Every structure is written in structure tokens, then in C-alpha cells.
């Protein structure tokens, strides 16, 4: 999902940000945070309902139709339209995203981020200054999870501002630019007054996963 050049640029930027702030930052790029098995069914329901309405209006306007001649084409049209839309959600992420609610996406991405924070033991820093900066591409969603040592500095308002900035780049499919913007804003918010050991306590590699 990131090229070698992207990785090198971001690793350099991470090192510079950590040196400046004494925070320990981990970047994660996830393809999608959940399977969202309901999306094809939502598309099918919408397609079938719309096709059913059109068939009804057609028969209403062109009254005098013969049931034995039109029932089968009508059923095929209704079910076929629903099936096509459901299939498109599997092929085209942008189309599938139309059926995904904002709340559902935010919930799933945050749960994925919290699980990753724990499984990778990002809390294992001496001053509890670890930060997970996670981008989920399918949802175009960003989650920033700071450890408790940074709670007094990184308020919800500051985090929402950073996330807004990053999301603009995600809409342009520019993951590297999103991370660059996030790191720049984090460095500005954290400043240079954090307590730290000066050691690199968390792995440097950028986490890349397909997700669910």
C-alpha cells in the first residue's frame, strides 16, 4: 500500500518527530477495518426496491398487460437489478462505501486501532508516551490513540483537528501525504517539553495490514 520511497520518507519523518518531541510514534495503514457483510445486502435491497417501483409504474401507465406474459420478466428485472448492485459493492470500494454509515465506519476503525494498540504493546514505553496513528483506507478514516502520558497535552479538540487535516488527503487517495500532515501537526501540538529517555522504545516499521 506504500511504496519503498513512501516508507523511507515517512520513517525519516517519524525519527525526526520522535527526536523533537520525545514521543514514540507508530504508523499503521490498514486496507479495511471490517468485512461489512451487510453492504451487499443493503445494495441488493435498494436495487430490488427501485426496480420494483419502476416495474409497478410501467404496468400502471401501460394498463392492459397480460400477467402470464409479464410476471417472469418483472421478477427477473427486480432480482437482477438487486444482484447487480450487490455485486458492484464487491468490485468497487467507492460504491460499497455509499452504503456504509459514518458511525459504523468510525466504530469499526476505532475498535481495530484499540486492538492493534494492545496487540503490538504500544503501551510499553517508560513514560507512557506511545502514539498510534492509524489510517484505514476503505473507510477513509483516521484514529489517533495516544497513551495516557499524553492525555493532558493531546485533547480531543487537538486530535479532531489533526484528523480533519489528514482526512482531506485520504479523499485524494494520498496516504503518504495524510501521514506527513499528521506527523507535522502532532509535532506542533506536542512541542519539545515531553519527558523521555531519548531511546527508541517502539518498533520503527510502518504497520501495513489488509485488515478484516
Amino acid at each position: 500500500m506504500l511504496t519503498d520511497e513512501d516508507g523511507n520518507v515517512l520513517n525519516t519523518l517519524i525519527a525526526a518527530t520522535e527526536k523533537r518531541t520525545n514521543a514514540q510514534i507508530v504508523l499503521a495503514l490498514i486496507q479495511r477495518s471490517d468485512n461489512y457483510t451487510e453492504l451487499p445486502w443493503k445494495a441488493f435491497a435498494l436495487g430490488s426496491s427501485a426496480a420494483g417501483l419502476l416495474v409497478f409504474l410501467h404496468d400502471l401507465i401501460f394498463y392492459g398487460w397480460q400477467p402470464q406474459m409479464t410476471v417472469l420478466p418483472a421478477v427477473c428485472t427486480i432480482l437482477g437489478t438487486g444482484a447487480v448492485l450487490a455485486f458492484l459493492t464487491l468490485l468497487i470500494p467507492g460504491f460499497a462505501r455509499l452504503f456504509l454509515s459514518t458511525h459504523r465506519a468510525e466504530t469499526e476503525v476505532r475498535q481495530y486501532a484499540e486492538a492493534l494498540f494492545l496487540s503490538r504493546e504500544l503501551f510499553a514505553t517508560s513514560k507512557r508516551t506511545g502514539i498510534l496513528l492509524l489510517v484505514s483506507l476503505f473507510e477513509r478514516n483516521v484514529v489517533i490513540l495516544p497513551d495516557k502520558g499524553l492525555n493532558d497535552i493531546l485533547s480531543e479538540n487537538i486530535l479532531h483537528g489533526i484528523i480533519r487535516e489528514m482526512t482531506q488527503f485520504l479523499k485524494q487517495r494520498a496516504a503518504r501525504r495524510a501521514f506527513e500532515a499528521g506527523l507535522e501537526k502532532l509535532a506542533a501540538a506536542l512541542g519539545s517539553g515531553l519527558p523521555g529517555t531519548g531511546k527508541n522504545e517502539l518498533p520503527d516499521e510502518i504497520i501495513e495490514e489488509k485488515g478484516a
Side-chain angles (χ1 to χ4, degrees):
M1 291 181 283
L2 291 173
T3 65
D4 290 340
E5 180 184 357
D6 292 338
N8 291 334
V9 169
L10 290 175
N11 281 326
T12 301
L13 190 55
I14 292 169
T17 305
E18 289 182 341
K19 183 177 180 180
R20 173 182 169 183
T21 64
N22 277 331
Q24 295 292 306
I25 302 171
V26 174
L27 304 186
L29 184 62
I30 310 303
Q31 187 67 44
R32 59 192 296 161
S33 296
D34 191 78
N35 288 324
Y36 303 110
T37 54
E38 75 275 13
L39 298 187
W41 289 106
K42 286 184 176 181
F44 179 85
L46 177 63
S48 299
S49 299
L53 178 60
L54 291 176
V55 169
F56 171 76
L57 292 176
H58 176 273
D59 290 341
L60 188 65
I61 294 171
F62 299 99
Y63 185 74
W65 55 286
Q66 298 180 4
Q68 67 273 20
M69 297 294 293
T70 60
V71 170
L72 182 58
V75 170
C76 291
T77 299
I78 293 170
L79 297 181
T81 302
V84 168
L85 292 190
F87 187 62
L88 288 177
T89 63
L90 303 177
L91 293 180
I92 307 174
F95 183 73
R97 200 159 39 239
L98 296 175
F99 301 92
L100 179 62
S101 70
T102 301
H103 176 73
R104 174 98 158 93
E106 290 176 350
T107 299
E108 293 300 332
V109 176
R110 185 163 190 86
Q111 287 179 351
Y112 196 103
E114 290 172 347
L116 192 64
F117 193 96
L118 293 175
S119 65
R120 297 294 180 119
E121 298 184 357
L122 302 188
F123 52 82
T125 58
S126 58
K127 302 296 183 179
R128 301 301 296 269
T129 55
I131 304 174
L132 173 63
L133 187 53
L134 181 142
V135 167
S136 195
L137 292 176
F138 174 75
E139 296 87 351
R140 293 180 179 172
N141 204 282
V142 178
V143 171
I144 303 175
L145 288 182
D147 207 344
K148 65 180 184 180
L150 302 172
N151 286 342
D152 293 337
I153 300 174
L154 296 177
S155 66
E156 288 297 322
N157 287 337
I158 291 175
L159 294 179
H160 286 158
I162 298 172
I163 289 171
R164 271 197 308 272
E165 184 80 14
M166 295 179 65
T167 303
Q168 297 304 313
F169 292 106
L170 285 185
K171 292 178 180 178
Q172 305 167 18
R173 300 181 181 179
R176 169 180 154 184
R177 295 287 305 280
F179 279 128
E180 288 174 338
L183 289 169
E184 180 183 351
K185 295 293 183 180
L186 272 177
L190 291 170
S192 56
L194 287 179
T197 62
K199 298 179 181 179
N200 192 12
E201 299 180 86
L202 294 177
D204 289 331
E205 77 271 9
I206 299 170
I207 300 170
E208 293 188 66
E209 295 182 356
K210 290 183 178 180

